[in-house]
């Protein structure tokens, strides 16, 4: 083994080598956080399809899940990609670090390599960039369009407003949209803090021609009415569009209907510490049955509520949390294979 390790170091020391070219030495029985997240997403997709065969599933960020080991050179995980209708990426061209600043060429190219693999395997790619100067906004849209992706550019990362530039919206489409492959533009409006009431938000969104709306399933803890959902599913020009609700699969949030007030002092076995950078999000053992039961598989689950309310799809947030666990000290874990 030492001889093999020395041989592998030679090109690194003398030639400068890409680590992505090295084989994966992970132990056969080692707990695999990437694999567990893929399995969760695949189960969510399967459950959704059992209730609505046309239901759209989109996963945000963590494009490394697209390959079996997370390396660009590895085999694409077709089961995972097939479970998805779309792959979303934030900050691909602008705003990965700082709003209105171009994402570095190296990071852009790295992310794009994964996205192109997914696109080649049939996934639609949605990109949310962050810029506020008109020249950068225009450039971000053009870069997404040239790559064959569907772009949206927000002025800030909080995603609580509808942009007032460009006018008209980029790639405005006057036709009905019934499938993700027909989408030519979209609005990412996942924070409701900019609105006083549900109806204010509904009215503003209803007056746009976006082909697809990504939004929170709740408004300040309250679900939208059936009439409001129906209104949101039509563009200002009267044509149909897709309405997609977010669902966080990697973090529990204490402002959601499932949260119990006693959990901070007496947590369920799958609930971990609060995420330091947030006020209301907690890490979860996303591979455990208790958390899975909250997400899908029963009539009280988050996903069932989204489908039952009439949304056209789900936008999965938090799939990249596996990276947090991979960087913890190694511990023995058990996967709950149910569901």
């Amino acid at each position: 083994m030492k001889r093999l390790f020395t041989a592998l170091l030679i090109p690194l020391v003398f030639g400068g080598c890409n680590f992505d070219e090295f084989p994966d030495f992970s132990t056969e029985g080692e707990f695999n956080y990437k694999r567990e997240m893929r399995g969760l997403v695949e189960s969510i997709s399967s459950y959704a399809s059992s209730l609505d065969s046309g239901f759209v599933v989109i996963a945000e960020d963590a494009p490394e899940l697209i390959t079996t080991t997370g390396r660009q050179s590895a085999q694409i995980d077709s089961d995972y990609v097939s479970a998805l209708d779309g792959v979303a990426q934030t900050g691909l061209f602008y705003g990965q670090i700082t709003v209105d600043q171009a994402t570095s060429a190296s990071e852009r190219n790295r992310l794009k390599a994964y996205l192109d693999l997914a696109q080649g395997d049939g996934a639609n790619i949605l990109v949310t960039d962050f810029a506020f100067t008109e020249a950068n906004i225009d450039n971000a849209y053009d870069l997404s369009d040239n790559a064959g992706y569907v772009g949206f550019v927000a002025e800030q990362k909080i995603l609580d407003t509808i942009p007032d530039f460009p006018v008209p919206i980029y790639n405005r489409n006057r036709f009905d949209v019934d499938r993700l492959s027909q989408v030519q533009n979209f609005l990412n409006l996942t924070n409701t803090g900019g609105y006083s009431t549900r109806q204010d938000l509904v009215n503003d969104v209803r007056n746009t021609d976006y082909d697809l709306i990504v939004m929170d399933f709740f408004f300040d803890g309250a679900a939208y009415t059936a009439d409001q959902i129906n209104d949101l599913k039509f563009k200002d020009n009267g044509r149909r569009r897709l309405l997609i609700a977010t669902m966080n699969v990697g973090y529990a949030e204490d402002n959601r209907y499932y949260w119990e007030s006693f959990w901070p002092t007496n947590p369920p076995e799958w609930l971990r510490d609060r995420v330091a950078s947030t006020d209301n999000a907690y890490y979860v053992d996303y591979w455990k049955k208790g958390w899975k039961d909250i997400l899908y598989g029963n009539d009280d689950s988050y996903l069932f509520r989204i489908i039952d309310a009439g949304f056209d799809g789900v936008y999965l947030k938090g799939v990249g949390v596996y990276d947090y666990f991979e960087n913890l000290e190694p511990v023995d874990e058990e996967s709950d294979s149910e569901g």
Side-chain angles (χ1 to χ4, degrees), residues 159-180:
L159 297 173
D160 64 346
T161 59
I162 299 173
D164 54 17
F165 180 86
V167 178
I169 62 173
Y170 194 87
N171 281 345
R172 184 169 61 177
N173 174 18
R174 69 178 188 273
F175 299 108
D176 287 322
V177 174
D178 298 305
R179 299 187 302 276
L180 190 57

Side-chain angles (χ1 to χ4, degrees), residues 12-238:
L12 179 62
V13 173
F14 295 103
C17 178
N18 183 354
F19 281 105
D20 193 48
E21 297 172 359
F22 282 71
D24 183 8
F25 291 117
S26 59
T27 306
E28 185 67 27
E30 183 181 343
F31 194 85
N32 189 315
Y33 294 104
K34 288 186 181 73
R35 184 174 61 229
E36 292 298 327
M37 180 55 76
R38 289 192 206 98
L40 174 60
V41 171
E42 290 164 19
S43 295
I44 287 170
S45 177
S46 178
Y47 174 72
S49 294
S50 73
L51 299 179
D52 179 354
S53 61
F55 195 74
V56 174
V57 179
I58 302 168
E60 181 188 68
D61 293 339
E64 296 83 0
L65 293 174
I66 290 165
T67 65
T68 54
T69 67
R71 296 172 177 169
Q72 293 173 15
S73 57
Q75 181 180 356
I76 192 167
D77 194 309
S78 293
D79 288 341
Y80 175 71
V81 177
S82 295
L84 298 171
D85 299 279
V87 175
Q89 180 62 50
T90 58
L92 176 63
F93 297 113
Y94 281 86
Q96 182 68 231
I97 303 298
T98 304
V99 175
D100 208 47
Q101 296 297 311
T103 300
S104 69
S106 60
E107 179 64 1
R108 177 189 302 181
N109 292 336
R110 187 188 74 84
L111 294 171
K112 194 171 179 298
Y114 289 107
L115 298 176
D116 288 346
L117 286 173
Q119 187 180 53
D121 211 46
N124 298 277
I125 309 299
L126 304 181
V127 173
T128 297
D129 282 309
F130 306 99
F132 51 78
T133 59
E134 292 186 0
N136 288 343
I137 292 171
D138 283 337
N139 192 40
Y141 276 116
D142 288 342
L143 288 169
S144 280
D145 201 37
N146 291 340
Y149 308 155
V150 180
F152 170 72
V153 186
E155 294 183 357
Q156 53 188 351
K157 294 191 176 184
I158 197 170
L159 297 173
D160 64 346
T161 59
I162 299 173
D164 54 17
F165 180 86
V167 178
I169 62 173
Y170 194 87
N171 281 345
R172 184 169 61 177
N173 174 18
R174 69 178 188 273
F175 299 108
D176 287 322
V177 174
D178 298 305
R179 299 187 302 276
L180 190 57
S181 60
Q182 297 172 327
V183 169
Q184 298 184 34
N185 56 73
F186 76 102
L187 170 66
N188 201 336
L189 187 67
T190 56
N191 189 307
T192 62
Y195 293 91
S196 299
T197 69
R198 287 179 299 177
Q199 193 59 48
D200 287 341
L201 184 148
V202 171
N203 292 342
D204 267 10
V205 174
R206 182 66 178 81
N207 291 330
T208 70
D209 280 332
Y210 289 103
D211 287 349
L212 181 148
I213 308 295
V214 179
M215 60 185 292
D216 199 313
F217 178 51
F218 294 102
F219 184 97
D220 196 23
Y224 293 90
T225 68
D227 286 342
Q228 289 171 332
I229 296 291
N230 186 66
D231 284 347
L232 288 165
K233 295 174 79 169
F234 287 89
K235 298 188 271 189
D236 185 50
N237 64 15

